[in-house]
Amino acid sequence: MLDDPHHRPTARHLRQFAKNMRHEPTDAEAAMWRLLRDRRLSAYKFRRQVPIESYILDFVCFEKRLVIEIDGSQHVKSRRDAVRDAALASEGFAIARYWNNDVLQQPTSVLEDILAKLAGR
């Protein structure tokens, strides 16, 4: 079962790509990180741009096994996202997806939804 990825081998190129993504977030990812970092959301610990298997997750709370993805229009009806979500769900993760515009324009609503999902896990 997938736990903290520090305990699982991850391809070096994937770790490097995740590191690069942490240094160059999208505007929506940067905004979400400001809201989640340092246990700012009800003391839940989140990590960002976490490589797991062959995927990089935008944000993950391992305690509650909740993955948060911040998506743009390229993710509408994405087959790759559906396959990834199924693989993560089989490992006990729930996936919450939010549009970039929602994170930037309605952050309070997004945080309320995340809190509800965390409470339900």
Side-chain angles (χ1 to χ4, degrees), residues 74-89:
Q74 73 274 18
H75 291 272
V76 173
K77 296 184 183 179
S78 168
R79 173 80 177 124
R80 179 168 160 67
D81 286 349
V83 169
R84 180 174 87 155
D85 290 357
L88 291 169

Side-chain angles (χ1 to χ4, degrees), residues 28-47:
E29 290 168 347
M32 180 58 74
W33 186 236
R34 283 190 296 275
L35 299 170
L36 297 177
R37 67 181 297 178
D38 297 328
R39 298 180 185 263
R40 291 179 183 171
L41 184 63
S42 294
Y44 288 107
K45 179 175 177 61
F46 282 89
R47 294 185 51 210

Side-chain angles (χ1 to χ4, degrees), residues 25-94:
T26 65
D27 290 344
E29 290 168 347
M32 180 58 74
W33 186 236
R34 283 190 296 275
L35 299 170
L36 297 177
R37 67 181 297 178
D38 297 328
R39 298 180 185 263
R40 291 179 183 171
L41 184 63
S42 294
Y44 288 107
K45 179 175 177 61
F46 282 89
R47 294 185 51 210
R48 66 182 172 142
Q49 303 303 339
V50 179
I52 293 182
E53 294 183 5
S54 61
Y55 308 111
I56 298 176
L57 311 179
D58 288 344
F59 304 96
V60 63
C61 174
F62 283 102
E63 174 188 355
K64 293 292 188 167
R65 300 187 78 74
L66 179 66
V67 173
I68 298 173
E69 289 294 312
I70 310 302
D71 295 334
S73 60
Q74 73 274 18
H75 291 272
V76 173
K77 296 184 183 179
S78 168
R79 173 80 177 124
R80 179 168 160 67
D81 286 349
V83 169
R84 180 174 87 155
D85 290 357
L88 291 169
S90 74
E91 295 288 345
F93 286 90

Side-chain angles (χ1 to χ4, degrees), residues 88-100:
L88 291 169
S90 74
E91 295 288 345
F93 286 90
I95 295 86
R97 292 187 173 278
Y98 302 96
W99 294 110
N100 290 335

